[in-house]
Amino acid sequence: MSTAREQPIFSTRAHVFQIDPATKRNWIPAGKHALTVSYFYDATRNVYRIISLGGAKAIINSTVTPNMTFTKTSQKFGQWADSRANTVYGLGFASEQHLTQFAEKFQEVKEAARLAREKSQDGGELTSPALGLTAHQVPPSPLVSANGPGDEKLFRSQSADAPGPTERERLKKMLSEGSVGEVQWEAEFFALQDSNNKLAGALREANAAAAQWRQQLEAQRAEADRLRQRVAELEAQAATEPPTVTEKEGPGQSLEQLEALVQTKDQEIQTLKSQTGGTREAPDTTEREETQQKVQDLETRNAELEHQLRATERSLEEARVERERARAEVGRAAQLLDVRLFELSELREGLARLAEGAP
């Protein structure tokens, strides 16, 4: 079969079926996947054909005649009988829209074939009917219906080239015994098979992504365990190290010790004051003077300690300021050193270029 002189005028994809020639009631799928089904127009012979190829084999090779009728048996399935090929073709589409488009194109091609036959019989000049398939509307031919299961009807038109009575009865029996439910189930089966393949691919991708996420989770858990162990080691090391000496330690004693000593002296002063003011018996003059003297000595000592504490704090603050100033000086010196090193590097490169350029 050669389609070099034929031009495609419409193409779609569908699951292709043929009636079983042995049982005359079951559909035989042409393949596991949808095939391309196309309308071809032969301008030389004014012939329209429906062709579908499965590899190098022609699955459908049906010449459209004015007597053919395409019948929708469900929302996604349609069929037509080809008396010349002595078979019935069925197409399962992915959607009702694709089925409607194919049926409309079938009607247009059928009308164009009728016009071409009439002009051929009249002997007039033929023009390409493919340019205006819907330009003429004619009343439909008388139809003969054959009722199938589920009140489904398959129509075939009467014509001059219709098969004989025996062949007609055989085709009627074949169409009436065909189960529309089986056609729908088989079409849905192949559609579900395609969906299953897509879902299987998506499931494989999801499993691969889950495995990758699981590996990342294990890596993060290992990193968390390592950090937790490191924190425990640092805490144990901090517990075993002796406490460091604070910055506020003076030459002889720390600020904490001085503050504790001041508080102790304050308590002694308060105790002495309470003893002197709490006794109802009047002490003699000597004891009162000694007590007052002790109180004065303690207050003086307390004032000296407070003065020493403030002096120590001032010295610490001055030392901190001096350390910050020294740190700033060191930073500036480091920057200056970097500049000098850069200038020295440029000078060395310049001397090297001069040495290379010298004769």
Side-chain angles (χ1 to χ4, degrees), residues 164-186:
T166 304
E167 183 67 19
R168 185 184 301 110
E169 293 297 330
R170 190 181 65 81
L171 287 176
K172 284 184 178 181
K173 183 179 180 181
M174 177 181 63
L175 294 176
S176 63
E177 292 178 353
S179 174
V180 178
E182 292 180 2
V183 173
Q184 296 175 355
W185 294 338
E186 290 180 358

mmCIF file of all heavy atoms in Angstrom, residues 164-186:
data_model
loop_
_atom_site.group_PDB
_atom_site.id
_atom_site.type_symbol
_atom_site.label_atom_id
_atom_site.label_comp_id
_atom_site.label_asym_id
_atom_site.label_seq_id
_atom_site.Cartn_x
_atom_site.Cartn_y
_atom_site.Cartn_z
ATOM 1 N N GLY A 164 -25.264 -8.926 -0.551
ATOM 2 C CA GLY A 164 -26.443 -9.728 -0.829
ATOM 3 C C GLY A 164 -27.196 -10.079 0.431
ATOM 4 O O GLY A 164 -26.747 -9.794 1.543
ATOM 5 N N PRO A 165 -28.343 -10.724 0.278
ATOM 6 C CA PRO A 165 -29.168 -11.060 1.448
ATOM 7 C C PRO A 165 -28.425 -11.930 2.438
ATOM 8 O O PRO A 165 -28.499 -11.706 3.643
ATOM 9 C CB PRO A 165 -30.374 -11.773 0.819
ATOM 10 C CG PRO A 165 -30.417 -11.322 -0.595
ATOM 11 C CD PRO A 165 -28.997 -11.095 -0.998
ATOM 12 N N THR A 166 -27.685 -12.928 1.940
ATOM 13 C CA THR A 166 -26.967 -13.811 2.879
ATOM 14 C C THR A 166 -25.911 -13.041 3.645
ATOM 15 O O THR A 166 -25.778 -13.169 4.867
ATOM 16 C CB THR A 166 -26.334 -14.976 2.101
ATOM 17 O OG1 THR A 166 -27.348 -15.652 1.364
ATOM 18 C CG2 THR A 166 -25.665 -15.949 3.065
ATOM 19 N N GLU A 167 -25.135 -12.223 2.917
ATOM 20 C CA GLU A 167 -24.091 -11.434 3.576
ATOM 21 C C GLU A 167 -24.703 -10.418 4.532
ATOM 22 O O GLU A 167 -24.175 -10.177 5.619
ATOM 23 C CB GLU A 167 -23.256 -10.706 2.519
ATOM 24 C CG GLU A 167 -22.089 -9.907 3.084
ATOM 25 C CD GLU A 167 -21.050 -10.824 3.690
ATOM 26 O OE1 GLU A 167 -21.044 -12.026 3.377
ATOM 27 O OE2 GLU A 167 -20.249 -10.317 4.503
ATOM 28 N N ARG A 168 -25.844 -9.822 4.139
ATOM 29 C CA ARG A 168 -26.503 -8.848 4.997
ATOM 30 C C ARG A 168 -26.981 -9.505 6.296
ATOM 31 O O ARG A 168 -26.833 -8.965 7.384
ATOM 32 C CB ARG A 168 -27.677 -8.202 4.269
ATOM 33 C CG ARG A 168 -28.323 -7.076 5.090
ATOM 34 C CD ARG A 168 -29.535 -6.502 4.401
ATOM 35 N NE ARG A 168 -29.233 -5.965 3.087
ATOM 36 C CZ ARG A 168 -29.642 -6.520 1.937
ATOM 37 N NH1 ARG A 168 -30.378 -7.624 1.960
ATOM 38 N NH2 ARG A 168 -29.333 -5.981 0.780
ATOM 39 N N GLU A 169 -27.575 -10.677 6.161
ATOM 40 C CA GLU A 169 -28.049 -11.371 7.357
ATOM 41 C C GLU A 169 -26.875 -11.748 8.272
ATOM 42 O O GLU A 169 -26.976 -11.679 9.496
ATOM 43 C CB GLU A 169 -28.832 -12.630 6.956
ATOM 44 C CG GLU A 169 -30.144 -12.343 6.241
ATOM 45 C CD GLU A 169 -31.099 -11.582 7.148
ATOM 46 O OE1 GLU A 169 -31.033 -11.772 8.386
ATOM 47 O OE2 GLU A 169 -31.909 -10.792 6.636
ATOM 48 N N ARG A 170 -25.787 -12.167 7.635
ATOM 49 C CA ARG A 170 -24.625 -12.537 8.451
ATOM 50 C C ARG A 170 -24.070 -11.334 9.207
ATOM 51 O O ARG A 170 -23.727 -11.410 10.387
ATOM 52 C CB ARG A 170 -23.533 -13.128 7.560
ATOM 53 C CG ARG A 170 -22.380 -13.768 8.341
ATOM 54 C CD ARG A 170 -21.340 -14.306 7.375
ATOM 55 N NE ARG A 170 -20.716 -13.213 6.631
ATOM 56 C CZ ARG A 170 -19.733 -12.453 7.118
ATOM 57 N NH1 ARG A 170 -19.288 -12.660 8.348
ATOM 58 N NH2 ARG A 170 -19.201 -11.498 6.393
ATOM 59 N N LEU A 171 -24.008 -10.175 8.540
ATOM 60 C CA LEU A 171 -23.519 -8.965 9.202
ATOM 61 C C LEU A 171 -24.483 -8.513 10.288
ATOM 62 O O LEU A 171 -24.079 -8.062 11.362
ATOM 63 C CB LEU A 171 -23.324 -7.849 8.174
ATOM 64 C CG LEU A 171 -22.115 -8.015 7.244
ATOM 65 C CD1 LEU A 171 -22.090 -6.887 6.212
ATOM 66 C CD2 LEU A 171 -20.820 -8.018 8.050
ATOM 67 N N LYS A 172 -25.798 -8.630 10.014
ATOM 68 C CA LYS A 172 -26.770 -8.274 11.039
ATOM 69 C C LYS A 172 -26.595 -9.133 12.283
ATOM 70 O O LYS A 172 -26.624 -8.658 13.415
ATOM 71 C CB LYS A 172 -28.195 -8.427 10.501
ATOM 72 C CG LYS A 172 -28.638 -7.311 9.572
ATOM 73 C CD LYS A 172 -30.090 -7.507 9.186
ATOM 74 C CE LYS A 172 -30.565 -6.360 8.292
ATOM 75 N NZ LYS A 172 -31.993 -6.526 7.919
ATOM 76 N N LYS A 173 -26.413 -10.422 12.045
ATOM 77 C CA LYS A 173 -26.228 -11.335 13.187
ATOM 78 C C LYS A 173 -24.946 -11.009 13.946
ATOM 79 O O LYS A 173 -24.909 -10.997 15.169
ATOM 80 C CB LYS A 173 -26.208 -12.771 12.677
ATOM 81 C CG LYS A 173 -26.090 -13.796 13.799
ATOM 82 C CD LYS A 173 -26.106 -15.206 13.224
ATOM 83 C CE LYS A 173 -25.986 -16.230 14.361
ATOM 84 N NZ LYS A 173 -25.976 -17.620 13.834
ATOM 85 N N MET A 174 -23.886 -10.697 13.171
ATOM 86 C CA MET A 174 -22.606 -10.369 13.799
ATOM 87 C C MET A 174 -22.723 -9.105 14.643
ATOM 88 O O MET A 174 -22.229 -9.037 15.773
ATOM 89 C CB MET A 174 -21.537 -10.191 12.722
ATOM 90 C CG MET A 174 -20.168 -9.780 13.232
ATOM 91 S SD MET A 174 -18.999 -9.587 11.883
ATOM 92 C CE MET A 174 -19.758 -8.247 10.984
ATOM 93 N N LEU A 175 -23.397 -8.081 14.135
ATOM 94 C CA LEU A 175 -23.542 -6.831 14.867
ATOM 95 C C LEU A 175 -24.492 -6.968 16.044
ATOM 96 O O LEU A 175 -24.288 -6.356 17.100
ATOM 97 C CB LEU A 175 -24.045 -5.738 13.916
ATOM 98 C CG LEU A 175 -23.075 -5.332 12.801
ATOM 99 C CD1 LEU A 175 -23.740 -4.327 11.874
ATOM 100 C CD2 LEU A 175 -21.793 -4.773 13.380
ATOM 101 N N SER A 176 -25.541 -7.777 15.863
ATOM 102 C CA SER A 176 -26.491 -7.928 16.960
ATOM 103 C C SER A 176 -25.911 -8.730 18.112
ATOM 104 O O SER A 176 -26.261 -8.529 19.271
ATOM 105 C CB SER A 176 -27.769 -8.608 16.453
ATOM 106 O OG SER A 176 -27.465 -9.917 15.990
ATOM 107 N N GLU A 177 -25.015 -9.676 17.783
ATOM 108 C CA GLU A 177 -24.421 -10.491 18.839
ATOM 109 C C GLU A 177 -23.255 -9.797 19.537
ATOM 110 O O GLU A 177 -22.801 -10.245 20.578
ATOM 111 C CB GLU A 177 -23.938 -11.822 18.258
ATOM 112 C CG GLU A 177 -25.084 -12.722 17.808
ATOM 113 C CD GLU A 177 -24.570 -14.008 17.185
ATOM 114 O OE1 GLU A 177 -23.337 -14.099 16.995
ATOM 115 O OE2 GLU A 177 -25.389 -14.896 16.898
ATOM 116 N N GLY A 178 -22.720 -8.738 18.909
ATOM 117 C CA GLY A 178 -21.609 -8.022 19.540
ATOM 118 C C GLY A 178 -22.067 -7.339 20.820
ATOM 119 O O GLY A 178 -23.116 -6.730 20.870
ATOM 120 N N SER A 179 -21.283 -7.461 21.833
ATOM 121 C CA SER A 179 -21.625 -6.884 23.132
ATOM 122 C C SER A 179 -21.027 -5.503 23.250
ATOM 123 O O SER A 179 -19.811 -5.325 23.175
ATOM 124 C CB SER A 179 -21.103 -7.773 24.261
ATOM 125 O OG SER A 179 -21.309 -7.162 25.508
ATOM 126 N N VAL A 180 -21.915 -4.516 23.406
ATOM 127 C CA VAL A 180 -21.425 -3.150 23.583
ATOM 128 C C VAL A 180 -20.677 -3.015 24.898
ATOM 129 O O VAL A 180 -19.693 -2.282 25.019
ATOM 130 C CB VAL A 180 -22.613 -2.168 23.525
ATOM 131 C CG1 VAL A 180 -22.132 -0.743 23.759
ATOM 132 C CG2 VAL A 180 -23.301 -2.271 22.181
ATOM 133 N N GLY A 181 -21.135 -3.756 25.898
ATOM 134 C CA GLY A 181 -20.444 -3.698 27.190
ATOM 135 C C GLY A 181 -19.002 -4.165 27.091
ATOM 136 O O GLY A 181 -18.102 -3.586 27.695
ATOM 137 N N GLU A 182 -18.767 -5.225 26.294
ATOM 138 C CA GLU A 182 -17.399 -5.707 26.124
ATOM 139 C C GLU A 182 -16.526 -4.661 25.441
ATOM 140 O O GLU A 182 -15.356 -4.485 25.785
ATOM 141 C CB GLU A 182 -17.408 -7.002 25.311
ATOM 142 C CG GLU A 182 -18.044 -8.192 26.040
ATOM 143 C CD GLU A 182 -18.025 -9.454 25.203
ATOM 144 O OE1 GLU A 182 -17.478 -9.384 24.080
ATOM 145 O OE2 GLU A 182 -18.537 -10.480 25.668
ATOM 146 N N VAL A 183 -17.109 -3.968 24.478
ATOM 147 C CA VAL A 183 -16.350 -2.912 23.802
ATOM 148 C C VAL A 183 -15.948 -1.829 24.792
ATOM 149 O O VAL A 183 -14.796 -1.386 24.838
ATOM 150 C CB VAL A 183 -17.193 -2.316 22.666
ATOM 151 C CG1 VAL A 183 -16.495 -1.101 22.072
ATOM 152 C CG2 VAL A 183 -17.422 -3.353 21.587
ATOM 153 N N GLN A 184 -16.897 -1.394 25.594
ATOM 154 C CA GLN A 184 -16.601 -0.343 26.562
ATOM 155 C C GLN A 184 -15.565 -0.814 27.578
ATOM 156 O O GLN A 184 -14.648 -0.083 27.932
ATOM 157 C CB GLN A 184 -17.893 0.077 27.266
ATOM 158 C CG GLN A 184 -18.913 0.705 26.339
ATOM 159 C CD GLN A 184 -20.217 1.006 27.046
ATOM 160 O OE1 GLN A 184 -20.383 0.658 28.204
ATOM 161 N NE2 GLN A 184 -21.135 1.646 26.338
ATOM 162 N N TRP A 185 -15.714 -2.063 28.035
ATOM 163 C CA TRP A 185 -14.767 -2.565 29.033
ATOM 164 C C TRP A 185 -13.361 -2.661 28.463
ATOM 165 O O TRP A 185 -12.392 -2.325 29.131
ATOM 166 C CB TRP A 185 -15.225 -3.944 29.532
ATOM 167 C CG TRP A 185 -16.513 -3.898 30.287
ATOM 168 C CD1 TRP A 185 -17.057 -2.809 30.907
ATOM 169 C CD2 TRP A 185 -17.435 -4.970 30.479
ATOM 170 N NE1 TRP A 185 -18.257 -3.126 31.483
ATOM 171 C CE2 TRP A 185 -18.524 -4.457 31.249
ATOM 172 C CE3 TRP A 185 -17.465 -6.295 30.102
ATOM 173 C CZ2 TRP A 185 -19.598 -5.246 31.624
ATOM 174 C CZ3 TRP A 185 -18.544 -7.088 30.489
ATOM 175 C CH2 TRP A 185 -19.598 -6.577 31.232
ATOM 176 N N GLU A 186 -13.254 -3.125 27.225
ATOM 177 C CA GLU A 186 -11.927 -3.251 26.640
ATOM 178 C C GLU A 186 -11.293 -1.881 26.416
ATOM 179 O O GLU A 186 -10.101 -1.683 26.663
ATOM 180 C CB GLU A 186 -12.010 -4.024 25.323
ATOM 181 C CG GLU A 186 -12.330 -5.510 25.516
ATOM 182 C CD GLU A 186 -12.418 -6.259 24.193
ATOM 183 O OE1 GLU A 186 -12.270 -5.603 23.145
ATOM 184 O OE2 GLU A 186 -12.619 -7.483 24.215
#
